[in-house]
Amino acid sequence: MFCVNHHTTRTVSHVTGPLSPHSYQNDWDITEEEEGGSPTTAIKNQRAVSWGTATAAYQIEGGWRADGKGLSIWDKFAHTPLKVFEDDNGDIACDSYNKIDEDVAVLKQLRVNHYRFSISWTRVLPDGTTNYINEAGFSYYDRLVNALLAENIQPHITLYHWDLPQALQNVGGWENETTVERFKDYADLVFSRLGDRVKLWITINEPYNVAMVGHGYGVAAPGISFRPGTLPYIVGHNLIKAHAEAWHLYNDKYRAKQNGMVSITINSDWSEPRNPYKQEDIDAARRVIQFYIGWFAHPIFNGDYSETMKTIIRERSLAAGLSKSRLPEFTPEEIKRIKGTYDYFGFNHYTTVLAYPLNYGNLQHYDGDRGAGTVVDRTWLDSGSGWLKVTPFGLRRILNFIKKEYGNPTIIITENGVSERGPIDLKDYHRSYFYEKYINQVLKAHLLDNVDVRGYTAWSLMDNLEWATGFAERFGLFYVNRSDPNVPRVAKESVSLYSTIINCNGFPDPASGPHDCLKPGPEGNQRCSDSSSGGKNKPDTMIN
Ligand code: BGC
């Protein structure tokens, strides 16, 4: 599906060789002038990257009770006073349930190769079980998939983006191991209905957030915070099992016929030592990484939890007088069954932190186990979200970390993006800046460090319900006017930047210009006209 007709990418002049992970050199202070004004380096044989954008069901669909949809934990959480900023909720959201044509039109405008969206479990299985299948709900996803394929946009489906059926929560939710079976049944049904056309799957989005934000800090559904030293680990354990069971199911029952790829999307910040010359800060930065990306990636890519997590949590549990570790153990059979349950590494990334050791005494909490505090560098640019500082260098570093730590997997970046808050302004220069810098780092990882990145996905297609911060933080390439009954999508300026990057498959070298791919509009749309694409402009050629 790629037209690799543009063989160059812009790189900064001081990058001469591959980055070694853990090198922790302080090079985040590259000035804008250095980055922007450096000589260009022509890199031949640019490999294919699929470009896309993403959303999630609860954040965009609305139709919360339409056509027999059941209630999810997010319906309940958002309808509980004071849980979401200004008591916003996803009842209508971007009304995507009624706007397939509009959504596909803006995807076309972006010229994306793939679109990542999630299925609302309760829209297809109102009580979470296969006792009753809601055909009207399925019809929505069926029509959406067909509309995308008709425009040559590959659907990339997330099965679980945080909206557990409330009926399953009522019997313990992810704390209850029976949810693993329910998830497998749900996955089975969706693979059987859509897998003839959908070739890219994500089982679970960001297990860290489900476990820790939902069941540790309690600021996302189901909003539990009273057992922060145990519950997140139990939930995480069951999420890993649920993912592995869905992967095996696909592998055994569907792969031969459907020939798709299934994985999990793991999120993580990158972490640098606050003082790169202090060993204890370097150790703290490594712990932050092992407790974040490593919590889920280690069992799935390497087998079992990391020694770091196992040792620290066991020692701190025993020291507090408990009889065993708060981190559940996998049996040897489970370790084997979980290891290798991936077809690619789905990765969400936004920002970087600076770590230092912090002793929480005997506080039985994930934060105490991790034993690190984090700060940010005050020169890093802000965004609309307190936790998100603009740190493009961290993306290249963590991609290199993934390559080294997890056996050089194929990586699809399934989310990356930036927010704003305050008055609506379609001139979102900060977003264009963000995408240009972060994508350049992705291309450096890809082309200079040989990290096997095959996909990049911008979060998000449009402004949507940003979970507990409601509609106040806006990550969209398109603004959604929710005060207009038609809920129109309106392009922000970054749409033109991102669609040009897509059209050019990166950043063309100005020295070898002019480049047709830089021209706006259809005449510049050369993406598919290059003979080097071999006429293979088909959705199912994206990653394979
Ligand atoms: C989630 C998205 C969310 C985004 C920005 C990710 O954690 O998967 O649903 O909107 O980050 O916060």
Side-chain angles (χ1 to χ4, degrees), residues 44 77 91 113 152 163 185 237-238 243 265 278 281 338 341 379-380 391 396 431 479 497:
K44 297 272 163 17
F77 189 76
D91 294 4
N113 308 124
N152 221 353
D163 44 357
D185 295 344
H237 207 66
N238 286 332
H243 154 75
T265 275
K278 256 184 158 173
D281 286 10
I338 291 162
T341 54
T379 64
W380 295 345
T391 51
R396 181 179 178 192
R431 181 165 290 103
Y479 156 64
L497 179 275

Side-chain angles (χ1 to χ4, degrees), residues 55-56 59 116 161-162 205-206 209 265 267 348 350 385 387-388 415 417 419 459-460 464-467 469 473 475:
T55 59
Q59 296 181 274
R116 176 183 172 221
H161 203 123
W162 307 355
N205 177 68
E206 299 191 351
N209 279 41
T265 275
N267 62 311
N348 287 358
Y350 289 87
S385 310
W387 53 271
L388 200 176
E415 278 182 36
S419 58
W459 183 272
S460 176
N464 55 49
L465 183 98
E466 178 52 20
W467 307 111
T469 49
E473 289 178 19
F475 279 82

Side-chain angles (χ1 to χ4, degrees), residues 286-540:
R286 290 187 175 144
R287 280 199 305 281
V288 167
I289 288 286
Q290 281 305 339
F291 271 79
Y292 206 152
I293 193 170
W295 182 357
F296 300 96
H298 207 282
I300 293 167
F301 290 81
N302 296 349
D304 203 1
Y305 294 118
S306 66
E307 284 307 320
T308 305
M309 281 191 77
K310 286 197 294 190
T311 310
I312 295 176
I313 301 170
R314 187 186 315 112
E315 281 173 3
R316 293 189 82 253
S317 304
L318 299 184
L322 301 176
S323 59
K324 61 178 180 44
S325 178
R326 284 173 283 106
L327 182 68
E329 272 180 28
F330 291 118
T331 64
E333 296 72 46
E334 286 171 342
I335 292 173
K336 251 177 82 192
R337 187 159 175 82
I338 291 162
K339 182 177 173 186
T341 54
Y342 64 90
D343 300 325
Y344 61 93
F345 194 118
F347 181 54
N348 287 358
H349 177 78
Y350 289 87
T351 200
T352 291
V353 294
L354 304 176
Y356 59 96
L358 189 57
N359 188 342
Y360 285 79
N362 102 48
L363 181 74
Q364 301 297 292
H365 189 292
Y366 167 92
D367 289 343
D369 296 337
R370 192 179 73 157
T374 61
V375 289
V376 296
D377 186 297
R378 66 201 169 99
T379 64
W380 295 345
L381 293 178
D382 283 327
S383 71
S385 310
W387 53 271
L388 200 176
K389 307 294 172 196
V390 181
T391 51
F393 64 89
L395 179 49
R396 181 179 178 192
R397 296 207 162 190
I398 199 163
L399 289 171
N400 273 275
F401 173 85
I402 292 171
K403 176 186 173 191
K404 178 139 187 267
E405 179 89 358
Y406 304 117
N408 196 16
T410 291
I411 300 171
I412 303 179
I413 297 170
T414 42
E415 278 182 36
N416 178 233
V418 72
S419 58
E420 69 260 359
R421 16 180 359 127
I424 306 300
D425 184 356
L426 299 177
K427 293 188 173 57
D428 57 341
Y429 302 128
H430 65 291
R431 181 165 290 103
S432 298
Y433 177 87
F434 180 99
Y435 280 128
E436 192 183 84
K437 301 298 177 200
Y438 273 71
I439 290 171
N440 206 28
Q441 295 292 331
V442 173
L443 293 175
K444 286 182 195 175
H446 182 53
L447 300 166
L448 301 178
D449 308 336
N450 279 316
V451 179
D452 189 13
V453 187
R454 309 264 186 106
Y456 176 89
T457 315
W459 183 272
S460 176
L461 172 61
M462 57 192 146
D463 292 341
N464 55 49
L465 183 98
E466 178 52 20
W467 307 111
T469 49
F471 294 100
E473 289 178 19
R474 305 185 302 273
F475 279 82
L477 288 154
F478 286 81
Y479 156 64
V480 176
N481 184 353
R482 301 180 62 258
S483 7
D484 179 326
N486 291 322
V487 205
R489 288 84 170 105
V490 185
K492 300 182 192 174
E493 293 222 338
S494 56
V495 164
S496 128
L497 179 275
Y498 188 46
S499 65
T500 303
I501 292 175
I502 294 174
N503 207 34
C504 296
N505 197 21
F507 304 98
D509 183 353
S512 60
H515 298 277
D516 281 349
C517 69
L518 292 168
K519 287 187 195 152
E523 74 280 10
N525 196 348
Q526 296 234 327
R527 187 166 70 143
C528 305
S529 60
D530 190 315
S531 55
S532 69
S533 69
K536 276 188 167 169
N537 189 25
K538 298 216 184 68
D540 62 355

